[in-house]
Amino acid sequence: MMTRKLNVVPFVSVDNMMKLVLHLGVERVMTEIAACIEADFRRWPLFDKTPRVASHSDVGVIELMPTSDGKMYGFKYVNGHPKNMREGLQTVTAFGLLADVNTGYPILLTEMTILTALRTAAMSALAARHLAPRDARTMAMIGNGAQAEFQALAFHAICGIDTVRLYDIDPVATEKCLRNLKGSGLTAIACKSPEEAVEGAGIITTCTADKQYATILTDNLVGAGVHVNAVGGDCPGKTELHRDILLRSSIFVEYPPQTRIEGEIQQLAPDHPVTELWQVMTGAAAGRTDARQITLFDSVGFAIEDFSALRYIHGQLQGTGFFEELDMIADPDEPRDLYGMLLRASEAEPGISAA
Ligand code: NAD
């Protein structure tokens, strides 16, 4: 915990988030966020849980993702606008806040665009560590946009993946990924089709952005024993997998009430059986039980993952200097004299009146 004045809130800008992450190391940060997520998933029943509050438009979605463990409260504001990329903007941007439940005072405000990419990749790799075939060393990465390198590096650090086979409908995205992964320790191979990308892959990650029921993977592309990490389908009407793949898979989810609305399983009956990942982590439910089983992580992103990432960043800040202090909480000497504080400010600033 940071010791600080209560009315001043540490703020981590994009610039400071980049400095902090580079200072610690990208793979280390994702490994440590994965450990925080796992620790929080293991105490799942403690948390307040609600499907995220989504405001949809024709072009995208804006969402609020709150949760609390009774001691701290966190939320993330996040958007998803697939058309943004064509306008030179990010598909996903976010910021988030952590607060002390005891006082209700914020204790951290931070950018979360980079942090979301880190936590999403950490969550994907953590799920795969429980579900993917142990000997998987090759991952197909379909969709080579903003999230892609983070996914590849998290699977390298957490699951021991040494080769990524990249495919995107836009070859410019694949070239960007190849360039960025040089020197990472991963062998990255550009592929011309999804068929070529999945060759020899024990793990298939789909991370595309399109506001429709898309078919990024057809049934014939998913062989026995593969783990599918489906990241891109995360909104009503926005999926990536052919329904037949779902019918052949053991499906693992974060929070069923949210995933049934947003995930690949929106294509299935509302009572189709799924397993909650937190139960796999506590040992209450089985993960992979058979070498020929197709396991599917139907990822949509849940508030507890953001909470874990926020509390991780909060824990790392002390002594680093990678934050600014924001004057965010009004703090009169006498708590009830809020108006008096305003009056005194007007006296201190000639020409400004409180009336
Ligand atoms: P992005 O726009 O930067 O990249 C998406 C990429 O997908 C683009 O390069 C695009 O060319 C490619 N693509 C689109 N259709 C394709 C197809 N048919 N085949 C192959 N490639 C295709 O987006 P991003 O920030 O990387 O996010 C990717 C997706 O992940 C988005 O849909 C986003 O909403 C989702 N997401 C999910 C989570 C989660 O927790 N599950 C978290 C963050 C983002």
Side-chain angles (χ1 to χ4, degrees):
M1 281 278 191
M2 293 172 49
T3 46
R4 56 180 192 82
K5 288 178 283 179
L6 284 177
N7 60 320
V8 172
V9 180
F11 167 63
V12 184
S13 63
V14 174
D15 186 45
N16 272 325
M17 181 61 77
M18 293 195 292
K19 286 180 177 145
L20 177 65
V21 170
L22 293 173
H23 167 73
L24 295 167
V26 178
E27 290 196 6
R28 173 181 158 193
V29 167
M30 290 193 287
T31 304
E32 292 178 353
I33 290 176
C36 287
I37 294 173
E38 182 152 26
D40 287 339
F41 270 45
R42 289 171 74 92
R43 56 193 190 111
W44 185 270
L46 251 170
F47 282 87
D48 277 350
K49 289 174 285 294
T50 176
R52 58 185 154 200
V53 182
S55 173
H56 295 280
S57 68
D58 291 344
V59 291
V61 63
I62 295 175
E63 297 163 328
L64 284 178
M65 302 171 69
T67 190
S68 170
D69 67 353
K71 290 203 165 75
M72 284 193 272
Y73 170 93
F75 77 81
K76 177 167 87 172
Y77 166 104
V78 62
N79 76 302
H81 285 67
K83 56 101 192 159
N84 273 8
M85 193 252 298
R86 291 185 291 279
E87 298 167 8
L89 303 172
Q90 290 293 117
T91 298
V92 175
T93 68
F95 67 88
L97 182 142
L98 200 61
D100 177 0
V101 167
N102 186 39
T103 57
Y105 276 28
I107 56 173
L108 175 69
L109 177 67
T110 178
E111 89 77 42
M112 286 191 83
T113 304
I114 296 167
L115 192 55
T116 292
L118 292 162
R119 82 81 158 113
T120 301
M123 181 66 219
S124 286
L126 173 62
R129 213 186 65 215
H130 287 276
L131 302 175
R134 291 239 171 268
D135 59 353
R137 293 293 167 266
T138 299
M139 175 162 90
M141 182 74 230
I142 300 176
N144 302 154
Q147 312 296 319
E149 295 89 338
F150 295 90
Q151 289 279 331
L153 293 171
F155 277 81
H156 180 235
I158 296 169
C159 302
I161 287 297
D162 58 27
T163 304
V164 277
R165 299 176 65 80
L166 307 169
Y167 171 70
D168 194 293
I169 38 167
D170 181 357
V172 174
T174 305
E175 280 157 31
K176 174 246 3 169
C177 234
L178 276 180
R179 207 169 45 244
N180 287 343
L181 291 174
K182 269 212 181 94
S184 66
L186 277 164
T187 302
I189 298 163
C191 299
K192 293 200 164 48
S193 65
E195 287 81 358
E196 191 185 335
V198 302
E199 268 172 37
I203 299 175
I204 303 174
T205 290
T206 55
C207 195
T208 65
D210 207 344
K211 210 170 174 347
Q212 61 162 329
Y213 294 107
T215 308
I216 306 304
L217 279 184
T218 47
D219 191 31
N220 59 316
L221 292 183
V222 181
V226 161
H227 174 67
V228 181
N229 170 42
V231 179
D234 59 357
C235 253
K238 177 165 171 263
T239 57
E240 293 182 302
L241 307 185
H242 192 282
R243 187 172 179 274
D244 289 349
I245 300 172
L246 309 184
L247 296 175
R248 288 164 58 219
S249 303
S250 304
I251 303 174
F252 297 83
V253 302
E254 292 141 316
Y255 180 55
Q258 182 178 312
T259 313
R260 296 221 185 255
I261 299 168
E262 301 178 349
E264 296 299 324
I265 57 170
Q266 64 186 279
Q267 303 181 65
L268 301 180
D271 58 352
H272 187 91
V274 296
T275 304
E276 297 186 43
L277 265 172
W278 72 273
Q279 293 191 316
V280 176
M281 293 181 196
T282 60
R288 171 173 290 272
T289 50
D290 158 5
R292 293 190 57 77
Q293 184 181 15
I294 297 168
T295 49
L296 164 63
F297 172 33
D298 187 0
S299 158
V300 292
F302 186 54
I304 294 177
E305 295 147 37
D306 298 307
F307 178 93
S308 310
L310 284 165
R311 94 179 161 75
Y312 172 73
I313 293 298
H314 183 249
Q316 293 299 320
L317 282 187
Q318 190 157 29
T320 65
F322 296 134
F323 63 93
E324 295 149 55
E325 293 192 321
L326 287 192
D327 178 18
M328 251 180 79
I329 307 291
D331 184 37
D333 294 336
E334 208 278 273
R336 286 171 299 186
D337 198 17
L338 190 60
Y339 190 74
M341 185 173 79
L342 193 62
L343 275 183
R344 286 188 289 284
S346 77
E347 283 157 20
E349 298 271 344
I352 299 181
S353 154

